[in-house]
C-alpha cells in the first residue's frame, strides 16, 4: 500500500499561486477491467471510463450498465474515485435515454461525470443535483472567462484544453472564479481543439463529437503552396503531433494550482496504464515531498515503450512549431534504437542506443509509407548483428542509415502485468471496532463502530448460534475471521464480545457475516443522493423575451474578404458576418460598409478560440461598433454578456457552441443570444427533431448554415510556420500565411484550403462545398427562419452569383432540387449534401 506523501513543495514557485488545498489527483484511463486494475494497483487516485453510449471513445471496450456498480465498488474499496465519461453531444431523440443514464450513474455511486454538452449539464443539475459534474475538454474551455461561464452552469471542475500553457495558467488564479482545474499530462495529442474537430464528420460522417473519430490527423498530406507541391523530404504526416509527456512539469503544475493530472488512453492497454501511472505517481510524490526531479532515463524508456509517437511537452511551454509535429510518421514508434550501419544477406547491423535482447520487437523506418514498413521480433543477437525469423524481413528493401525503433519489450510487459495480477490492497483503511454477541438459539450479531464509538453498521448471522461443548467462539478466532477485510477498505481496531454463555458457529457463516458487514459499511459510507422526477421537456421554461422571428426566411452571409462584403451589400443582404484573419481591419471595414449601405447590418465574428490574455480581440471587436457579434466560444459569451464590458451588443451563437438539442439551445438563448447556429454534427432528421422538441417561441432562435466549406481541423499547430519557415512562433516565422495560398492534399487528391486566424490558429476547410438547398422546404416548414451562406475563396462575381441563387431559393422563386443540380454542374469539385444527409448505418 502506498503511503500518503506529505503535501509540501520545497522549491520556489515559478508560475501562479493557486495552490490546491489537497494533494493533486492522478487520474487514469480505463477502457476495460484490466485497465481499472492496472490503474488502481499502480497509484491512480481516480479512474475514468465510459459506458456503451454517450462517450467519446466508442472503440474502447467500455463497461456495460450491469458492470457499473461492481466497477464503482471495486474502485471505492481501493480508495479510488470513479468518474464516468458522458462527453459527447446529445441529440434530441436521446434526451430521455440520457436522463435514465444520469439516474443510473447517480444511484451507482460514481463520483462525477465528465460532460461536453451544455444542455446535459443543465439536465443533470435538475434531476440528479448531488452528482458532481466535470466539464470535459470537449467543452473547449481555454480561458478564465470560459471556465467562469462553466462554473455558473454548475460545473465543479474543468478539464482545460491541452493547448493551455503554464504561463497562461497563471491568469486562471484570479480570473476563473475559483473553479478547480484538471489538465492532461500524458498521452496522445489531438491536433485540433477538442470539441471543434469536424474532419471525421465532414469526410466520413463519423463525428468526433460522438466518439467516432477516424484519426484523419494521423494520415499523410502533401503541402501545396501557390499551386505547387512542396518538397518536404520524408515529412508527410503534417498534422500528427508527438505524444504529450509533461512528467517534468509536474512541480510547476502543482504550483499553478491544478487539482488533477489526467492521463489519456482509454483505447490503450493495461500495460500502458500501469507503466504511465508508475512514472507519474513517482513524479507527483517526489514533488509533494519537496524533492522534485526530472524523469530518469528508465522512466522515459518505460513511457516510450508503453506507447509513443515521440514524447514532447506539448504546449506546456507555449507553441513550438518546429518540435510539435516531426511529420515523419503517424503511428506508434517506441524508443529510438539507432540507425542501420550495415545490411547483410540475412541480418542487420546496429550499434543500438538502448538495450536490445532476443524477443524484443523492432520496426525499420525507411522514411517511406509507414503502412508498408517492416519489422518483427529479434530471433538472435550476435554482437551488433540482429537476426530475425527466416523469411520475415526483405533485407533488400533496407539500407544503411535507416532508423530502427524498439516497439515491444516482453520483459517489461511481464513486470507491468505482475503489478496488477494479484490481490490489490486498499490505498487507505478505515479503523472499525467490532462488538460481537448473542446466545444459543439466536443469531450472532455484529456491530461496527467508529474509533469515536459512533455506530456504523449492524448485521446478524443467518444460521443460529449453538451451545458449544468444546472450543467455543473466542475473541481471537472472531478477530481472525471477522477482521480479515482483505480488499475491503477497513481494518480491525478492536473487538469486544458479549455472549450469553459458550456458543459456536461454522467458519463459513462467520465469513458470510463478515461479507455482509462489509456491504453494510459500504452502504453506510455512501449517502443517498437526491433524485428529482420529471421529463426534460419540463426544463424548457425560457421566459426571456426573444426578438420575434421573421415571418419569412431570411439570409445571412459570412464574408471573409472585402470583395465578398461588397457583393453582399450590393445584393441587399440583411445581415453580414465578417470573419477576417486580421481583426484590426474590422473597424475600418465596418465604417466602409456603412458608407456603402445603411441597410446591411455588419456583425463581427470572434475568433473560434480564446485563451488567457486574449480579451484584446474582444475589445477590438467592441471598439469597431458593429451591429452585433457572432460568438464562437464560451469566453466570448461571458465577456460580451457582462455589463461592465461596454455598450451591450446583440449576440448570435455560432456552430462552435455545439447546439444539438433543445436544452442547449435554450441555455444559450436564455443568456442573451438572439440566435444559435445548429451544430454541424446533426443530420436533417436530427435538425427536424431539434425543432420538434422546442417550443414554437424558441424555434425562431435557430440559425442553420445552408452552404459552406466545412471547417474541419481547427488547431493551435501552425502548418505555415512549421513547414514554410524555421520559426517557432509568430515572433520569428516571417508570417508566410500572409504571402501564400496554401492547401493540404489528402490521399485521394483533394486539396483542402488552409487559413490562419488572428491568433495564428489554423483552420483546414473541406475543398468540396456542401449545400442543404434540397432540404430547404422541410427546414422552413419546421419554422427555422434564419439561413446562412458562408463564403471562403469566392471572388466578387462568384459571391454575387451564389448570393443570388440562395436569395431566389428563400424567396420561393426556385426550388432546392434545381439549385442542387446547378451547383453540381458548375463546381469543378462538385458539391455534397454534407452533414445534413442521412448517415449510412
Amino acid at each position: 500500500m502506498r503511503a500518503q506523501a506529505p503535501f509540501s513543495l520545497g522549491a520556489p514557485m515559478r508560475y501562479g499561486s493557486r495552490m490546491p488545498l489537497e494533494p493533486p489527483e492522478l487520474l487514469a484511463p480505463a477502457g476495460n477491467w484490466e485497465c481499472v486494475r492496472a490503474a488502481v494497483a499502480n497509484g491512480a487516485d481516480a479512474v475514468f471510463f465510459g459506458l456503451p453510449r454517450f462517450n467519446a471513445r466508442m472503440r474502447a471496450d467500455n463497461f456495460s450498465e450491469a458492470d457499473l456498480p461492481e466497477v464503482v465498488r471495486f474502485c471505492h474499496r481501493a480508495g479510488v474515485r470513479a468518474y464516468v465519461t458522458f462527453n459527447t453531444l446529445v441529440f434530441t431523440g436521446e434526451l430521455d435515454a440520457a436522463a435514465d443514464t444520469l439516474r443510473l450513474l447517480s444511484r451507482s455511486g460514481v463520483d462525477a461525470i465528465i460532460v461536453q454538452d451544455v444542455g446535459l449539464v443543465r439536465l443533470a443539475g435538475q434531476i440528479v443535483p448531488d452528482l458532481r459534474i466535470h466539464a470535459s475538454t470537449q467543452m473547449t474551455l481555454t480561458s478564465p472567462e470560459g471556465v467562469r461561464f462553466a462554473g455558473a452552469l454548475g460545473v465543479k471542475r474543468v478539464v482545460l484544453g491541452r493547448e493551455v500553457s503554464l504561463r497562461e495558467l497563471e491568469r486562471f488564479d484570479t480570473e476563473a472564479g475559483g473553479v478547480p482545474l484538471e489538465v492532461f499530462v500524458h498521452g496522445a495529442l489531438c491536433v485540433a481543439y477538442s470539441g471543434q474537430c469536424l474532419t471525421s464528420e465532414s469526410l466520413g460522417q463519423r463525428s468526433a463529437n460522438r466518439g467516432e473519430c477516424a484519426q484523419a490527423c494521423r494520415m499523410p498530406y502533401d503541402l501545396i503552396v501557390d499551386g505547387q507541391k512542396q518538397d518536404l523530404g520524408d515529412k508527410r504526416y503534417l498534422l500528427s503531433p508527438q505524444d504529450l509527456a509533461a512528467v517534468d512539469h509536474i512541480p510547476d503544475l502543482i504550483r499553478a494550482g491544478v487539482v488533477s493530472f489526467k492521463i489519456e488512453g482509454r483505447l490503450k492497454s493495461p500495460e500502458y496504464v500501469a507503466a504511465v501511472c508508475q512514472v507519474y505517481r513517482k513524479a507527483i510524490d517526489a514533488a509533494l515531498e519537496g524533492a522534485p526531479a526530472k524523469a530518469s532515463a528508465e522512466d522515459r524508456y518505460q513511457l516510450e515503450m508503453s506507447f509513443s509517437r515521440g514524447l514532447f511537452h506539448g504546449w506546456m511551454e507555449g507553441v513550438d512549431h518546429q518540435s510539435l509535429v516531426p511529420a515523419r510518421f503517424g503511428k506508434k514508434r517506441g524508443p529510438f534504437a539507432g540507425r542501420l550501419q550495415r545490411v547483410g544477406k540475412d541480418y542487420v547491423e546496429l550499434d543500438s542506443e538502448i538495450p536490445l535482447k532476443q524477443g524484443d520487437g523492432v520496426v525499420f523506418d525507411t522514411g517511406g509509407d509507414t503502412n508498408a514498413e517492416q519489422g518483427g521480433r529479434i530471433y538472435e543477437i550476435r554482437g551488433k548483428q540482429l537476426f530475425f525469423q527466416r523469411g520475415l524481413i526483405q533485407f533488400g528493401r533496407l539500407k544503411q542509415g535507416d532508423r530502427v525503433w524498439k516497439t515491444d519489450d516482453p520483459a517489461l510487459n511481464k513486470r507491468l502485468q505482475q503489478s496488477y495480477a494479484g490481490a490489490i490492497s486498499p490505498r487507505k483503511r478505515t479503523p472499525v471496532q467490532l462488538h460481537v454477541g448473542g446466545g444459543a438459539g439466536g443469531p450472532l450479531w455484529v456491530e461496527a463502530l467508529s474509533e469515536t464509538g459512533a455506530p456504523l453498521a449492524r448485521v446478524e448471522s443467518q444460521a443460529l448460534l449453538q451451545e458449544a461443548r468444546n472450543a467455543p467462539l473466542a475473541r481471537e478466532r472472531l478477530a481472525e475471521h471477522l477482521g480479515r477485510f482483505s480488499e475491503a477498505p477497513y481494518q480491525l481496531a478492536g473487538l469486544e464480545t458479549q455472549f450469553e454463555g459458550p456458543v459456536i458457529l461454522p467458519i463459513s457463516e462467520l465469513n458470510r457475516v463478515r461479507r455482509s458487514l462489509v456491504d453494510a459499511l459500504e452502504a453506510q459510507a455512501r449517502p443517498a443522493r437526491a433524485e428529482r422526477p420529471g421529463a426534460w421537456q419540463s426544463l424548457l421554461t425560457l421566459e426571456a423575451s426573444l426578438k420575434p422571428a421573421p415571418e419569412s426566411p431570411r439570409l445571412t452571409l459570412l464574408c471573409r474578404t472585402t470583395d465578398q462584403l461588397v457583393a453582399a451589400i450590393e445584393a441587399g443582404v440583411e445581415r453580414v458576418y465578417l470573419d477576417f484573419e486580421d481583426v484590426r481591419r474590422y473597424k475600418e471595414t465596418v465604417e466602409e460598409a456603412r458608407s456603402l449601405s445603411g441597410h446591411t447590418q455588419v456583425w463581427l465574428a470572434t475568433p473560434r478560440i480564446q485563451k488567457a490574455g486574449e480579451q484584446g480581440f474582444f475589445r477590438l471587436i467592441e471598439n469597431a461598433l458593429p451591429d452585433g457579434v457572432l460568438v464562437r466560444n464560451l469566453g466570448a459569451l461571458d465577456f460580451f454578456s457582462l455589463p461592465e464590458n461596454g455598450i451591450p451588443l446583440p449576440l448570435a451563437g455560432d456552430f462552435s457552441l455545439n447546439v444539438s438539442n433543445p436544452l442547449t439551445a435554450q441555455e444559450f438563448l436564455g443568456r442573451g443570444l438572439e440566435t444559435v447556429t445548429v451544430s454541424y454534427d446533426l443530420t436533417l432528421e436530427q435538425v427536424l427533431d431539434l425543432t420538434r422538441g422546442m417550443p414554437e417561441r424558441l424555434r425562431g432562435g435557430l440559425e442553420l448554415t445552408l452552404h459552406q466549406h466545412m471547417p474541419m481541423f481547427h488547431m493551435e499547430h501552425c502548418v505555415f510556420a512549421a513547414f514554410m519557415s524555421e520559426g517557432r512562433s509568430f515572433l520569428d516565422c516571417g508570417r508566410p500565411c500572409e504571402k501564400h495560398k496554401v492547401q493540404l492534399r489528402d490521399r485521394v487528391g483533394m486539396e483542402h484550403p488552409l487559413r490562419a486566424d488572428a491568433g495564428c490558429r489554423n483552420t483546414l476547410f473541406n475543398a468540396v462545398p456542401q449545400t442543404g438547398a434540397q432540404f430547404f422546404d422541410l427546414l422552413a416548414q419546421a419554422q427555422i427562419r434564419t439561413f446562412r451562406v458562408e463564403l471562403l475563396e469566392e471572388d466578387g462575381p462568384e459571391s454575387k452569383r451564389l448570393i443570388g441563387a440562395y436569395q431566389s431559393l428563400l424567396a420561393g422563386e426556385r426550388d432546392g432540387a434545381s439549385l442542387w443540380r446547378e451547383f453540381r454542374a458548375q463546381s469543378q469539385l462538385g458539391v455534397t449534401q454534407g452533414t445534413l444527409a442521412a448517415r449510412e448505418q
Side-chain angles (χ1 to χ4, degrees):
M1 183 173 69
R2 180 179 64 86
Q4 179 66 57
F7 186 40
S8 65
L9 279 170
M13 284 191 194
R14 182 175 156 200
Y15 298 100
S17 56
R18 184 186 159 112
M19 291 285 289
L21 298 177
E22 298 180 358
E25 165 189 274
L26 178 60
L27 176 57
N32 56 41
W33 259 113
E34 286 296 280
C35 290
V36 172
R37 292 181 55 81
V40 171
N42 287 283
D45 300 299
V47 298
F48 65 102
F49 56 90
L51 298 181
R53 297 185 71 181
F54 307 119
N55 105 74
R57 290 293 183 271
M58 296 305 293
R59 291 186 292 125
D61 292 342
N62 296 313
F63 293 90
S64 69
E65 293 184 355
D67 293 329
L68 184 61
E70 185 57 30
V71 177
V72 174
R73 186 184 190 202
F74 175 81
C75 291
H76 287 175
R77 280 189 166 190
V80 170
R81 291 175 286 278
Y83 304 149
V84 172
T85 56
F86 213 131
N87 56 343
T88 64
L89 299 185
V90 180
F91 299 147
T92 308
E94 299 172 327
L95 284 171
D96 288 332
D100 291 341
T101 302
L102 286 171
R103 293 187 175 99
L104 171 70
L105 294 171
S106 183
R107 294 167 190 166
S108 298
V110 302
D111 296 283
I113 54 174
I114 305 171
V115 175
Q116 173 185 14
D117 194 292
V118 167
L120 188 71
V121 174
R122 189 158 188 263
L123 178 62
Q126 178 64 27
I127 66 174
V128 284
D130 294 337
L131 181 58
R132 284 176 60 89
I133 301 169
H134 296 177
S136 168
T137 189
Q138 288 284 115
M139 204 179 281
T140 322
L141 295 167
T142 56
S143 70
E145 292 83 1
V147 171
R148 190 166 59 222
F149 182 94
L153 289 175
V155 166
K156 302 303 181 186
R157 182 193 292 181
V158 161
V159 187
L160 291 177
R162 293 168 173 86
E163 296 81 359
V164 176
S165 71
L166 283 162
R167 193 161 297 282
E168 288 160 346
L169 265 173
E170 186 177 357
R171 292 179 176 268
F172 287 78
D173 184 28
T174 56
E175 300 172 18
V179 180
L181 304 177
E182 177 179 310
V183 301
F184 280 93
V185 292
H186 195 90
L189 284 173
C190 298
V191 75
Y193 274 91
S194 294
Q196 300 299 314
C197 185
L198 295 162
T199 312
S200 298
E201 174 70 58
S202 181
L203 297 179
Q205 295 185 318
R206 292 174 53 178
S207 171
N209 284 324
R210 298 281 294 172
E212 300 167 333
C213 172
Q215 293 198 307
C217 55
R218 303 299 179 185
M219 301 301 175
Y221 294 88
D222 293 326
L223 182 68
I224 310 300
V225 179
D226 301 327
Q228 299 296 315
K229 178 184 173 182
Q230 298 299 293
D231 183 3
L232 300 178
D234 59 3
K235 294 183 177 181
R236 297 192 61 211
Y237 296 86
L238 308 184
L239 303 178
S240 181
Q242 299 187 72
D243 289 349
L244 172 64
V247 61
D248 290 339
H249 291 87
I250 291 297
D252 293 325
L253 290 167
I254 293 175
R255 295 185 192 103
V258 173
V259 303
S260 180
F261 299 141
K262 190 169 194 172
I263 299 167
E264 179 275 339
R266 282 190 289 137
L267 293 172
K268 305 281 178 50
S269 68
E271 292 85 357
Y272 164 89
V273 174
V276 179
C277 281
Q278 285 180 5
V279 173
Y280 281 84
R281 180 76 273 157
K282 176 182 172 182
I284 293 169
D285 289 348
L288 294 179
E289 290 166 359
K294 290 187 179 296
S296 66
E298 292 78 11
D299 290 338
R300 285 206 161 268
Y301 172 80
Q302 183 163 306
L303 293 177
E304 288 186 301
M305 204 66 256
S306 63
F307 190 99
S308 166
R309 300 180 184 91
L311 297 180
F312 186 57
H313 53 65
W315 289 280
M316 285 289 164
E317 297 180 8
V319 296
D320 183 349
H321 297 308
Q322 297 304 314
S323 301
L324 180 69
V325 178
R328 297 192 65 258
F329 45 80
K331 59 168 60 174
K332 176 184 176 181
R333 275 295 181 254
F336 180 63
R339 290 180 180 267
L340 293 181
Q341 295 175 315
R342 183 182 177 190
V343 180
K345 182 179 179 181
D346 59 352
Y347 68 90
V348 295
E349 192 168 298
L350 171 72
D351 188 7
S352 180
E353 298 182 12
I354 57 175
L356 292 175
K357 57 188 178 298
Q358 184 179 354
D360 286 349
V362 297
V363 66
F364 299 106
D365 179 356
T366 64
D369 183 0
T370 59
N371 291 320
E373 61 193 11
Q374 301 185 89
R377 296 197 180 279
I378 300 171
Y379 185 76
E380 184 182 356
I381 301 178
R382 302 176 194 166
K384 296 181 180 181
Q385 295 176 352
L386 309 182
F387 294 82
F388 299 83
Q389 181 181 343
R390 188 179 300 275
L392 179 67
I393 305 296
Q394 298 177 34
F395 292 95
R397 292 173 50 195
L398 304 179
K399 63 184 182 300
Q400 182 180 1
D402 285 348
R403 294 175 174 88
V404 182
W405 306 85
K406 184 174 179 179
T407 57
D408 191 40
D409 183 340
L412 174 61
N413 289 339
K414 183 177 180 180
R415 176 175 69 77
L416 294 170
Q417 290 160 4
Q418 290 172 341
S419 72
Y420 55 87
I424 299 174
S425 298
R427 189 76 47 78
K428 180 181 178 183
R429 294 184 183 271
T430 301
V432 293
Q433 302 181 58
L434 299 184
H435 289 185
V436 185
L444 175 82
W445 54 263
V446 180
E447 288 184 345
L449 296 86
S450 70
E451 286 186 296
T452 61
L456 298 176
R458 178 186 172 102
V459 296
E460 295 183 352
S461 64
Q462 292 180 354
L464 301 180
L465 292 164
Q466 302 294 321
E467 184 176 349
R469 296 180 180 178
N470 51 51
L473 288 177
R475 182 177 177 280
E476 292 75 15
R477 175 172 292 190
L478 289 167
E480 177 187 354
H481 292 282
L482 295 180
R484 190 185 299 158
F485 287 112
S486 302
E487 296 182 13
Y490 306 102
Q491 66 182 24
L492 185 64
L495 187 146
E496 297 180 7
T497 60
Q498 300 176 25
F499 290 119
E500 301 167 11
V503 290
I504 195 168
L505 196 69
I507 298 300
S508 61
E509 183 64 8
L510 284 177
N511 290 336
R512 193 202 65 77
V513 169
R514 184 190 66 247
R515 291 191 294 269
S516 296
L517 178 63
V518 169
D519 289 343
L521 285 168
E522 289 177 341
Q524 171 271 336
R526 188 176 65 243
R529 287 173 169 168
E531 190 174 304
R532 296 173 183 152
W536 61 266
Q537 290 88 346
S538 65
L539 300 179
L540 297 173
T541 57
L542 181 61
E543 300 297 336
S545 56
L546 298 175
K547 280 192 174 182
E551 294 184 6
S552 57
R554 67 174 176 181
L555 181 69
T556 61
L557 194 76
L558 187 138
C559 300
R560 293 185 167 96
T561 69
T562 303
D563 286 346
Q564 294 167 356
L565 173 62
V566 171
I569 291 173
E570 291 177 350
V573 175
E574 179 183 340
R575 178 188 295 181
V576 169
Y577 301 121
L578 295 188
D579 183 19
F580 286 1
E581 295 168 15
D582 185 354
V583 296
R584 293 171 299 180
R585 294 175 51 206
Y586 275 161
K587 186 174 181 62
E588 63 177 329
T589 306
V590 169
E591 294 172 351
E592 180 182 350
R594 288 190 176 134
S595 70
L596 295 175
S597 169
H599 169 73
T600 299
Q601 293 184 1
V602 180
W603 291 47
L604 301 180
T606 71
R608 196 156 149 199
I609 296 296
Q610 177 238 348
K611 296 178 75 177
E614 293 184 350
Q615 301 96 326
F617 291 140
F618 299 155
R619 300 203 182 279
L620 285 170
I621 290 172
E622 185 179 58
N623 293 337
L625 302 177
D627 295 297
V629 177
L630 182 63
V631 170
R632 287 179 161 168
N633 56 71
L634 296 180
L637 180 53
D638 178 83
F639 178 89
F640 287 106
S641 298
L642 294 177
E644 60 264 30
N645 283 331
I647 303 171
L649 290 167
L651 306 176
D654 207 357
F655 72 94
S656 46
L657 298 183
N658 286 325
V659 173
S660 61
N661 61 65
L663 296 180
T664 304
Q666 176 180 254
E667 185 65 35
F668 287 124
L669 292 171
R671 290 177 179 270
L673 297 181
E674 290 187 4
T675 59
V676 290
T677 308
V678 176
S679 166
Y680 293 167
D681 288 280
L682 273 60
T683 64
L684 172 66
E685 189 53 42
Q686 289 162 346
V687 173
L688 298 178
D689 278 348
L690 172 62
T691 61
R692 287 190 286 262
M694 297 178 70
E696 285 191 28
R697 67 184 183 279
L698 293 183
R699 294 175 195 168
L702 294 178
E703 181 170 359
L704 186 131
T705 301
L706 208 56
H707 183 107
Q708 64 165 320
H709 289 262
M710 176 76 85
M712 299 191 300
F713 293 111
H714 187 67
M715 49 199 173
E716 194 79 6
H717 167 52
C718 182
V719 174
F720 299 95
F723 305 112
M724 297 174 64
S725 83
E726 296 181 358
R728 298 187 178 276
S729 73
F730 74 95
L731 295 173
D732 59 354
C733 71
R735 310 287 293 190
C737 57
E738 297 177 352
K739 304 168 187 174
H740 301 280
K741 183 178 180 180
V742 175
Q743 293 96 17
L744 296 187
R745 180 191 291 157
D746 65 19
R747 293 178 301 164
V748 299
M750 285 294 179
E751 297 181 0
H752 304 291
L754 184 74
R755 294 291 189 90
D757 71 7
C760 293
R761 293 167 194 122
N762 287 193
T763 303
L764 188 69
F765 293 88
N766 195 325
V768 181
Q770 68 177 50
T771 178
Q774 65 275 36
F775 307 128
F776 170 73
D777 288 343
L778 289 172
L779 295 166
Q781 290 167 16
Q783 296 180 292
I784 295 178
R785 288 293 175 265
T786 305
F787 295 89
R788 188 192 306 174
V789 169
E790 294 201 351
L791 304 176
L792 182 60
E793 296 184 322
E794 293 85 355
D795 59 19
E798 289 176 309
S799 300
K800 189 171 295 186
R801 179 185 61 80
L802 202 61
I803 295 167
Y806 279 100
Q807 285 177 325
S808 298
L809 176 67
L810 267 63
E813 297 169 0
R814 62 183 308 179
D815 62 273
S818 67
L819 194 59
W820 159 255
R821 289 192 297 270
E822 177 184 315
F823 288 153
R824 296 197 70 176
Q826 292 178 350
S827 173
Q828 288 182 327
L829 296 176
V831 65
T832 72
Q833 294 177 342
T835 53
L836 286 174
R839 289 180 174 84
E840 295 181 5
Q841 298 299 316

